[in-house]
Amino acid sequence: MLTAVLDELYMWPFANAIRAQASAAMCSYNRVNGSYACQNSKLLNGLLKEELGFQGYVMTDWSGLHSGVASAQAGTDMDQPGHIEPMTTLLNQTRLSSYFGGNITLAVRNGTFPESRLDDMIKRIMTPYYALRQDQDFPATDPAMAYYNTQFSSSNYSMDSFVFGEKSRDVRQDHGGRIRQHAAESTVMLKNTNGTLPLKAPTSIAIFGSDAAPNTQGPFIRGPSEIGTLAIGGGSGNGRFTYLVSPLEAIKARAVQDNTLVQFWLNNTVIKDANVESLWGATAPEACLVFLKSRASERLDRESLAVDQHGDTVVESVASKCSNTIVVTHSGGMTIMPWADHPNVTAILAAHYPGQESGHSIVDILYGAKSPSGKLPYTVPLNASSVNTAPTTNITTSGVDDWQSWYSEGLEIDYRYYHTHKIPVQYEFGFGLSYTNFSMASLRVKPTHPEARILSQPEALATRPGGNPALWDVLFEAEVTLQNTGSTSGATVAQLYISFPDEVSAPSLQLRGFEKTYLSPGESYTATFPLMRRDLSYWNVTQQTWLIPEGDFILRVGFSSLDLHDSVVLRPVEE
C-alpha cells in the first residue's frame, strides 16, 4: 500500500478518533504490504504513535497475533484474548500458552526485549484507566458479562475473586425508544414509484420472506437461521436482545388498526418455486411486502453480493404476479439488486441491521409516521463485476497470500472509483429518498482569516493527538441554503464534495462534509461546512508532508454524489 493511500484515506478516521482522545486502537487480522498488521512497525510505531501522536495502547483483534517479541517491538501493547492454544501443566490443569505473558517476562530476563518497552506498554494500558477515571465510582463488571466471556479462557477459570454484585443488571432506561428512532431514521428509501409509500390503510396485504418472521432459534443467533428476521450482525460484537419485534408482528399489530387483511408466507424455498397467485387466492393483495436478508459476521466475509436464501428469485416470483411489490432488505452492507428496475417493484427500503425494534421501526416508515431520511454510505452497483476491489483471502488458512489485503484500488474506493471512471450504478453513494422535497441553492465559501496568506505547507508544530495541529486549522467555511419545498416535515443531508486541481493525482470527487437537518414545510436552513487545511491537502510522497496544491479546487454541494446542485471555484494558494 502506498503511503499516500494510507495518509489520505485509511489514516483519516484514525486521526479523528485520536484527536477525540480515543484510548485504544485495534490492529487487524490482515497483512499490509506483506506484514501482519499487529507486527507492522510502520503502521503502529511510525504512523499511529509518531505521526498521529497516539498516546493510548494498541490491542490485537482476537487471535490476530502471530509473534511475541517481534509484535511487541512493532508497537502492539496488548494481546487479546492472550492465548495461542490449550496445554496441560504438570498439575493436570488446563492453562493457556501465550505469545506475550510469560514469554515477555522471559525475553526481558534474557535481554532480548528491553524493559523500557515493557514499561511503555504498561503505561499506555494503565494511563487511560486513570484518565477516564475508571478508578473513581466506575460501574463494576456485570457478573453475567464476565462469565459470558469465559469462552475466551480456560474452562476451570473462576471469576468469583473479582466479580461482585447483581447479575444481568437492567440498564436499558429508554433505549428501546431510541433504538426505534435511530433505526427508522437510518432506513434508506431507494425507490418509491408514484407515491406507493406511505401505505394508506390498505384493505389487504401479503408478506413474503423468511426475514419477516420471528426467529425460531431465539433472539441471539450464532449462525445462519432459515426462518427469522435479521436485526443484528454476527460475531462477538453483537448482543443479546432483551426482546426482538419482527416485521410480521409489527405489521399485524398495525393492520388491526386499519382492519387490514394480512396473509404471509415465510419459507423462501416455497415462495421461489410457487405460483404466488395460487397462494393468495382469487383476489390479489393491494401491496406485497418482500423481506430479504444478507448475513454478515466477523471472520466470515460474505461470499456473494447477492441477498441470502434465494432472495432475488423470491422477489422475481412475487413481482411477476403482484403489481405493487415493496422490498425491504436487512443487510450489513451493500447488496446488488437485479430486480430494482422491475416495473412491479414499486418501492425499496434498505433497513440494514435495525436492532430489537426492527418491526416497529419499519412500520414507522411504511405507514408514514416517520419520513425516510437515511442516505446510502456506499454505492449499489448494477452488478458484482462493477466492483473494483478483490475479495479478502481466508484468514483461517496459512497460504503465502492468505490474510493479505492488497489495496490495489488505491484511493479509488466506492463512489470515488465509479465517479472518476464514469461507471453507471444502480444507486449512488449518499442517495436516499424522502416523503417530502428539498431544494438547495446559493453555495458560497469564505476564508476564516481573510487577511492571512495561506502557505502550501503546514507549519511544523509539535505533534499532538491527531497529528500536526496545523492540519486541523479551519481555513475556509462553505455555506448552502436548504429549504423543505414539500408538504410534510422531514430531514435531509446536505453533502459537500471537493475536486482537486488537475495536477494532483486524486479521485475526481471526494466527500468533505455533510450535515443532517430536520425541516418543516417551507422552512429554510443554512448548512455550514468547515474546511480544514487537511481537507485541501494531499500527501506528497517525495517531501513526505501534506501540501495544498496550486490551482483551482471545485467545491460541489448536493443530496448525493450524483445529485449535485451548485458549485464554486476555490483557489486557496496563490501561485
Side-chain angles (χ1 to χ4, degrees):
M1 186 195 305
L2 299 174
T3 55
V5 177
L6 271 169
D7 280 89
E8 295 180 32
L9 186 61
Y10 293 104
M11 283 174 57
W12 200 283
F14 283 90
N16 288 351
I18 292 168
R19 190 166 185 262
Q21 302 296 315
S23 61
M26 178 178 282
C27 51
S28 59
Y29 290 121
N30 60 284
R31 289 173 173 153
V32 180
N33 295 343
S35 297
Y36 288 111
C38 297
Q39 194 178 321
N40 193 310
S41 182
K42 175 63 176 178
L43 286 181
L44 304 183
N45 288 327
L47 299 178
L48 190 70
K49 293 182 177 180
E50 293 181 20
E51 184 174 326
L52 295 185
F54 179 54
Q55 298 177 1
Y57 62 94
V58 175
M59 63 188 296
T60 70
D61 206 339
W62 265 235
S63 299
L65 201 66
H66 296 268
S67 67
V69 169
S71 293
Q73 290 281 48
T76 296
D77 302 299
M78 177 188 289
D79 177 23
Q80 291 289 3
H83 67 260
I84 306 171
E85 58 187 4
M87 66 179 183
T88 304
T89 67
L90 294 176
L91 298 176
N92 199 30
Q93 293 179 328
T94 301
R95 291 288 185 261
L96 300 169
S97 59
S98 174
Y99 285 117
F100 280 14
N103 284 323
I104 293 294
T105 303
L106 179 63
V108 171
R109 288 175 174 170
N110 67 23
T112 58
F113 186 68
E115 188 174 346
S116 59
R117 170 62 183 130
L118 178 59
D119 290 342
D120 177 58
M121 295 164 71
I122 295 170
K123 290 177 182 177
R124 286 178 173 274
I125 293 170
M126 293 307 300
T127 297
Y129 176 78
Y130 293 103
L132 298 174
R133 299 180 181 177
Q134 291 180 270
D135 61 324
Q136 301 177 22
D137 299 323
F138 198 78
T141 302
D142 189 313
M145 194 63 202
Y147 283 102
Y148 171 67
N149 274 296
T150 57
Q151 62 178 301
F152 298 117
S153 303
S154 57
S155 58
N156 68 334
Y157 187 74
S158 174
M159 295 190 177
D160 293 337
S161 60
F162 66 91
V163 175
F164 308 96
E166 179 187 356
K167 184 183 293 186
S168 299
R169 301 166 196 154
D170 189 346
V171 297
R172 291 175 297 172
Q173 300 179 27
D174 62 344
H175 293 181
R178 290 176 179 269
I179 291 168
R180 179 173 179 169
Q181 175 188 348
H182 295 163
E185 289 191 8
S186 60
T187 298
V188 185
M189 185 163 67
L190 300 176
K191 185 177 182 179
N192 192 26
T193 304
N194 297 326
T196 293
L197 296 177
L199 296 174
K200 305 169 184 68
T203 58
S204 66
I205 59 177
I207 301 173
F208 298 87
S210 64
D211 182 61
N215 288 319
T216 57
Q217 297 181 19
F220 179 73
I221 303 172
R222 290 187 177 276
S225 175
E226 173 67 24
I227 303 296
T229 193
L230 187 60
I232 195 170
S236 60
N238 67 6
R240 294 177 181 267
F241 295 115
T242 52
Y243 60 84
L244 175 57
V245 181
S246 70
L248 178 61
E249 293 173 278
I251 292 172
K252 288 196 297 182
R254 173 57 198 244
V256 171
Q257 300 179 33
D258 300 330
N259 197 28
T260 300
L261 170 66
V262 179
Q263 304 176 75
F264 52 90
W265 296 271
L266 308 176
N267 188 314
N268 284 17
T269 303
V270 171
I271 301 167
K272 76 180 183 66
D273 296 325
N275 177 350
V276 293
E277 281 185 320
S278 66
L279 297 178
W280 62 58
T283 305
E286 288 186 28
C288 298
L289 306 179
V290 181
F291 286 84
L292 307 177
K293 61 184 174 183
S294 180
R295 185 175 184 270
S297 176
E298 67 173 335
R299 299 194 68 159
L300 293 174
D301 286 342
R302 291 166 55 196
E303 297 180 358
S304 169
L305 297 181
V307 291
D308 297 344
Q309 299 178 349
H310 314 290
D312 293 336
T313 307
V314 168
V315 176
E316 294 287 349
S317 177
V318 175
S320 68
K321 301 298 181 181
C322 182
S323 61
N324 188 23
T325 299
I326 300 163
V327 180
V328 180
T329 65
H330 286 135
S331 175
M334 174 264 290
T335 57
I336 56 174
M337 300 178 176
W339 31 262
D341 295 327
H342 194 295
N344 286 346
V345 174
T346 54
I348 303 173
L349 296 171
H352 299 102
Y353 289 159
Q356 67 187 36
E357 288 281 337
S358 175
H360 288 152
S361 64
I362 202 64
V363 164
D364 286 343
I365 296 296
L366 288 171
Y367 286 84
K370 299 283 186 182
S371 178
S373 60
K375 301 288 184 177
L376 282 179
Y378 49 76
T379 297
V380 177
L382 286 170
N383 48 65
S385 61
S386 297
V387 180
N388 67 323
T389 54
T392 56
T393 53
N394 196 330
I395 66 168
T396 62
T397 55
S398 56
V400 65
D401 289 332
D402 290 347
W403 299 63
Q404 174 68 52
S405 294
W406 297 109
Y407 302 101
S408 56
E409 68 277 6
L411 293 171
E412 293 183 350
I413 64 167
D414 199 80
Y415 73 94
R416 304 176 183 210
Y417 167 70
Y418 298 110
H419 192 275
T420 297
H421 297 279
K422 298 179 173 58
I423 299 172
V425 300
Q426 190 75 65
Y427 299 109
E428 72 271 16
F429 175 89
F431 179 78
L433 301 174
S434 171
Y435 290 150
T436 189
N437 298 307
F438 299 91
S439 67
M440 178 182 293
S442 303
L443 176 63
R444 56 257 185 213
V445 60
K446 59 183 180 182
T448 53
H449 302 287
E451 72 287 350
R453 180 171 177 264
I454 297 174
L455 301 177
S456 174
Q457 187 169 337
E459 183 181 356
L461 302 177
T463 300
R464 296 181 61 83
N468 183 347
L471 293 173
W472 300 88
D473 289 342
V474 176
L475 305 182
F476 297 89
E477 284 188 346
E479 295 180 343
V480 68
T481 300
L482 306 170
Q483 185 178 24
N484 183 340
T485 58
S487 58
T488 62
S489 297
T492 191
V493 181
Q495 303 163 39
L496 181 72
Y497 295 87
I498 191 170
S499 299
F500 275 70
D502 292 338
E503 65 192 60
V504 177
S505 179
S508 60
L509 201 70
Q510 298 185 68
L511 182 69
R512 282 297 185 262
F514 58 91
E515 185 174 355
K516 186 171 187 176
T517 184
Y518 185 91
L519 297 173
S520 301
E523 186 179 4
S524 297
Y525 175 77
T526 298
T528 302
F529 306 96
L531 286 168
M532 296 177 287
R533 172 176 283 275
R534 72 165 185 167
D535 291 320
L536 304 171
S537 300
Y538 74 102
W539 181 258
N540 187 288
V541 295
T542 303
Q543 299 184 41
Q544 289 291 289
T545 188
W546 291 94
L547 296 177
I548 299 178
E550 296 178 349
D552 292 338
F553 290 77
I554 301 178
L555 301 181
R556 296 180 171 91
V557 69
F559 294 114
S560 76
S561 58
L562 292 182
D563 184 14
L564 301 172
H565 285 239
D566 204 355
S567 65
V568 296
V569 175
L570 175 65
R571 183 183 289 264
V573 177
E574 297 296 332
E575 299 179 9

